[in-house]
Amino acid sequence: MKRFSISPPVAALILAIVLFLLSGFLPNSYGSDVKVAIAQATNILRLAVFLGVIAAGQTLVIISGFEGIDLSAGSIVTLTAILTYVYVNGEDNKVLVALLIALGVGALIGLLNGIGVTFLKISPFVMTLGMSGMVTGAIIVVNHGDVRGKIAPIMTRLIARPISPEIPIPGAIVIWLIFGVLMWLLLERTTFGKNLFAIGVNRVTAKLSGVNVTATNLTTYSLAGALAGFGGFLVVGNTGVVMIQLGQPFLFPSIAAVAVGGTLLSGGKGSYWGTMAGAIVLTLITSLLTTMQMPDSVRRMVLGATLLILISIYGRQRALRQ
Amino acid sequence: MKKRITWDFLMTRFPAFFPFILLVISIIINWFLQPNMFELETINSNMRVFLPLILLAVGQAIVLLGGGIDISVGGTVSIINTILATRVGLDGSPELMWQFVLISLLAGLLAGAINGFFIAYLRLQPIITTYATSFLYAGFALFILPNPGGGIPADIANLYRTSTPLGLPLAFYIIAILLAIWVYFSSTRYGKYLFAVGGKADAAYETAVPVTLMQFSTYVISGLMAALAGIAITMLSGSGNADIGNPMTLNSITAVVIGGNAFSGGIGGVAGPVMGAITLGVIQNIISFASIDTWWETLVKATIIVVALATPGVINLIRRRRA
């Protein structure tokens, strides 16, 4: 019997479009004004970029299996955002070095996670949770709640502003598209990508087939850290201000985006397209709920219920009976 | 042949062995910083603070043993807290209080059953499902009590805070009862099934273990324990706050893993997580008594926890290198 099935990224994307069209009927929404509708859609896409990039590292770690998860992503975002903010201090010519610092610091923290997970056999959940506490703690110790800096004009222009007056597409979306292609190449066209899926499915068979499980695992966690670091760089480029709670709100949504995009949380199966679609759906739902002017309590409940419905549709695991 | 007690033997056969060492070390350090630690008054005031997390960790331990995870427990704790604080009130009668304690337990069971239904029967992934329900529950708690306030009568709260039957803190009796229940159940078919499901659900299914029912039951137990934790923390604080349970969720998971249980399920018990939860509390005590600069608190606490988690792995690495 052939079951009707539709791939999760496509399903998530269709859902996002339907939701967005339906949202036109809400009071104080775009109504029948196409221009406003396009502007609103662009804005939601722009906001989805940050969640999408932060969720990229999460996607890699989750695909690597073995309960892989990165709970330190939020704190890395905060840290690299602060580092960028302080280091750049309003000067355009320091931006490139700041980006390298963000990537490097992220990769280093990711590597520490990887060492804990791979060599010390600490489960990723608690290892990265502990690392998150250490990074947050280190931020508090170093800056004592007082951060001075400024982002560079070029960052605002590249990330937050439209690419040109004629083309009203924010730079962040272009960056995300290029980023998405790179992620696809990494996952589907490189040895690392193949090894990653291999260790996600079964570590023993991967090892027996000649995959260096230890190296792949370490690389995965380092990459995840670096990508979270990149996320921090982008986030501060968009907001222009930093605070200690900057990254944490992205953490669990990044896991949810991965799950909504059809990547199995048990590893071995998934795609970055799915995560991108998931990030769009989640950002759309949150911004719709924000515009609907309801109390915070109701908003949280609606978000929880929507998430439950979403994952009920296609987040189901294999049945026990085969 | 007489079996020699080696490090490996202790580490593999008794998951609670390392947590026990950890607990003893942290208690000794605490004792140096706080000489009156072993006075009954101090023990009681410590244990009543630790108890909510201990209760939560026991529920979390059962879920993790069964191969799942429950990150909605904090939301459940908040719901119970707000129900008690708004419905009983500061001048409520004891009868009203006990009536709502009963309702709280039912609410906890219901919250757990919702999780269990989605995870066991609809086969959704545990982390993401309980993340979604954590929004439902935390949102519902905020709906009941939008701003911190309300409370329960002081004399009822004092029952929890000061009662020391036969000269021992109330918490000791509760822990003893929980451990006794666990020892009984782990020897029954339920316990065997639980370890089987947590070890390898597919294999358990093929050997006719009721996997779905077992998974469902672990979430119901976790909901019930979260309700008990909610009642305990409400009697401890005496007031209502819809965010009260929020920070407890990840702590409960850390407590279970520090307690020597495998995160992937199937290995461990309940005694370890209880010790893990007490250790977390004692670490907090140490930090406040060591008069560490407030700025350093988060870093020091996180580092201690990571070191505690890493130590068994480091010891294994060193031993393997020598062998």
Side-chain angles (χ1 to χ4, degrees):
Chain A
M1 193 180 83
K2 201 175 170 216
R3 261 187 72 211
F4 171 75
S5 72
I6 169 169
S7 82
V10 179
L13 213 55
I14 293 176
L15 187 79
I17 295 168
V18 170
L19 270 178
F20 182 73
L21 292 178
L22 284 179
S23 76
F25 294 110
L26 293 174
N28 64 49
S29 181
Y30 55 83
S32 56
D33 195 337
V34 180
K35 238 184 201 159
V36 180
I38 290 175
Q40 210 167 354
T42 320
N43 197 36
I44 287 167
L45 270 183
R46 188 177 67 90
L47 289 175
V49 171
F50 308 104
L51 179 58
V53 170
I54 294 162
Q58 201 69 257
T59 313
L60 296 182
V61 174
I62 287 175
I63 290 177
S64 82
F66 221 68
E67 292 122 35
I69 199 161
D70 186 1
L71 298 186
S72 67
S75 62
I76 296 178
V77 167
T78 311
L79 176 66
T80 57
I82 291 179
L83 285 176
T84 309
Y85 188 74
V86 173
Y87 178 78
V88 167
N89 209 0
E91 291 175 48
D92 277 351
N93 53 5
K94 281 185 175 173
V95 169
L96 201 62
V97 183
L99 176 61
L100 291 178
I101 292 176
L103 292 175
V105 169
L108 186 71
I109 297 168
L111 181 66
L112 291 177
N113 282 332
I115 289 172
V117 170
T118 319
F119 295 116
L120 304 181
K121 313 263 182 273
I122 307 172
S123 75
F125 193 99
V126 278
M127 177 67 219
T128 54
L129 178 63
M131 185 55 75
S132 168
M134 286 175 72
V135 172
T136 310
I139 297 173
I140 298 174
V141 168
V142 172
N143 69 33
H144 275 48
D146 175 34
V147 188
R148 286 200 192 126
K150 197 176 186 303
I151 60 160
I154 191 169
M155 289 171 71
T156 320
R157 205 163 63 235
L158 283 177
I159 296 166
R161 298 273 158 75
I163 37 179
S164 80
E166 292 83 49
I167 317 166
I169 300 172
I173 296 178
V174 180
I175 295 174
W176 199 26
L177 280 176
I178 300 169
F179 183 81
V181 173
L182 289 177
M183 281 296 291
W184 175 77
L185 285 174
L186 178 74
L187 284 174
E188 304 292 336
R189 289 290 179 271
T190 62
T191 321
F192 169 74
K194 296 233 178 338
N195 290 348
L196 180 65
F197 282 103
I199 68 167
V201 173
N202 190 328
R203 299 221 158 169
V204 179
T205 49
K207 196 177 180 119
L208 292 175
S209 332
V211 175
N212 188 339
V213 177
T214 311
T216 311
N217 213 22
L218 286 177
T219 318
T220 308
Y221 278 92
S222 311
L223 257 179
L227 291 175
F230 182 52
F233 176 84
L234 287 183
V235 169
V236 75
N238 182 54
T239 57
V241 287
V242 287
M243 52 192 167
I244 193 82
Q245 282 300 326
L246 189 70
Q248 265 339 302
F250 287 104
L251 176 60
F252 275 101
S254 78
I255 299 164
V258 175
V260 168
T263 298
L264 276 186
L265 291 186
S266 47
K269 186 170 173 271
S271 69
Y272 185 59
W273 301 127
T275 303
M276 288 173 91
I280 296 173
V281 174
L282 286 183
T283 314
L284 179 68
I285 293 170
T286 8
S287 26
L288 286 184
L289 289 176
T290 317
T291 51
M292 273 159 78
Q293 289 171 335
M294 41 176 68
D296 191 26
S297 56
V298 180
R299 195 181 303 156
R300 286 199 213 179
M301 284 192 276
V302 174
L303 183 62
T306 322
L307 206 54
L308 263 186
I309 295 169
L310 269 184
I311 52 173
S312 302
I313 298 172
Y314 51 78
R316 301 186 48 182
Q317 296 164 296
R318 206 164 44 81
L320 284 164
R321 197 202 309 263
Q322 284 294 313
Chain B
M1 198 178 85
K2 205 178 147 216
K3 198 153 199 175
R4 271 185 49 227
I5 297 177
T6 61
W7 175 262
D8 284 330
F9 174 74
L10 285 172
M11 289 296 277
T12 49
R13 295 299 304 276
F14 297 98
F17 169 65
F18 186 72
F20 179 70
I21 295 181
L22 216 56
L23 179 62
V24 171
I25 294 174
S26 49
I27 286 180
I28 290 173
I29 298 176
N30 193 348
W31 185 37
F32 271 111
L33 297 166
Q34 188 192 10
N36 69 346
M37 191 189 168
F38 291 111
E39 281 167 26
L40 178 64
E41 182 57 34
T42 322
I43 295 181
N44 188 37
S45 71
N46 276 337
M47 289 312 290
R48 71 179 182 223
V49 175
F50 300 165
L51 190 62
L53 187 64
I54 294 172
L55 294 168
L56 215 50
V58 169
Q60 193 70 259
I62 303 290
V63 175
L64 283 168
L65 276 176
I69 189 169
D70 189 352
I71 53 177
S72 71
V73 285
T76 310
V77 168
S78 299
I79 290 184
I80 306 306
N81 174 257
T82 51
I83 288 179
L84 291 175
T86 53
R87 298 290 170 259
V88 179
L90 287 166
D91 42 11
S93 65
E95 292 78 35
L96 195 65
M97 176 72 190
W98 301 126
Q99 195 182 324
F100 274 97
V101 162
L102 204 64
I103 290 173
S104 301
L105 294 177
L106 290 176
L109 286 173
L110 180 66
I114 293 174
N115 286 332
F117 170 74
F118 280 105
I119 294 165
Y121 289 98
L122 294 187
R123 302 217 23 92
L124 304 185
Q125 314 189 62
I127 288 191
I128 198 73
T129 309
T130 50
Y131 171 62
T133 54
S134 76
F135 270 102
L136 270 181
Y137 301 161
F140 188 56
L142 200 59
F143 182 75
I144 301 174
L145 183 70
N147 297 305
I152 57 167
D155 46 333
I156 295 180
N158 282 338
L159 268 182
Y160 174 79
R161 293 175 190 155
T162 54
S163 48
T164 49
L166 302 174
L168 282 172
L170 184 65
F172 283 3
Y173 293 94
I174 297 174
I175 294 171
I177 292 169
L178 287 175
L179 289 179
I181 294 175
W182 166 248
V183 168
Y184 170 71
F185 270 101
S186 57
S187 69
T188 62
R189 190 178 287 171
Y190 183 87
K192 305 246 175 342
Y193 283 174
L194 180 66
F195 283 101
V197 171
K200 208 160 181 23
D202 291 353
Y205 182 81
E206 277 161 20
T207 48
V209 173
V211 174
T212 311
L213 190 65
M214 286 305 297
Q215 286 175 337
F216 180 75
S217 74
T218 61
Y219 290 97
V220 174
I221 292 172
S222 169
L224 181 66
M225 294 312 295
L228 288 173
I231 296 167
I233 204 164
T234 310
M235 293 177 96
L236 175 71
S237 77
S239 62
N241 180 354
D243 279 330
I244 201 165
N246 203 14
M248 296 173 77
T249 306
L250 293 177
N251 276 345
S252 74
I253 296 168
T254 312
V256 174
V257 178
I258 282 195
N261 285 23
F263 187 79
S264 49
I267 301 171
V270 160
V274 168
M275 289 192 268
I278 299 177
T279 308
L280 284 185
V282 174
I283 290 176
Q284 187 62 53
N285 268 359
I286 293 174
I287 288 175
S288 39
F289 278 106
S291 55
I292 293 170
D293 187 16
T294 334
W295 297 108
W296 285 83
E297 262 192 35
T298 315
L299 182 62
V300 171
K301 193 176 175 194
T303 312
I304 293 175
I305 289 170
V306 170
V307 168
L309 289 168
T311 311
V314 173
I315 294 173
N316 277 347
L317 273 188
I318 296 170
R319 289 176 54 85
R320 206 175 308 152
R321 188 134 313 161
R322 256 198 237 140

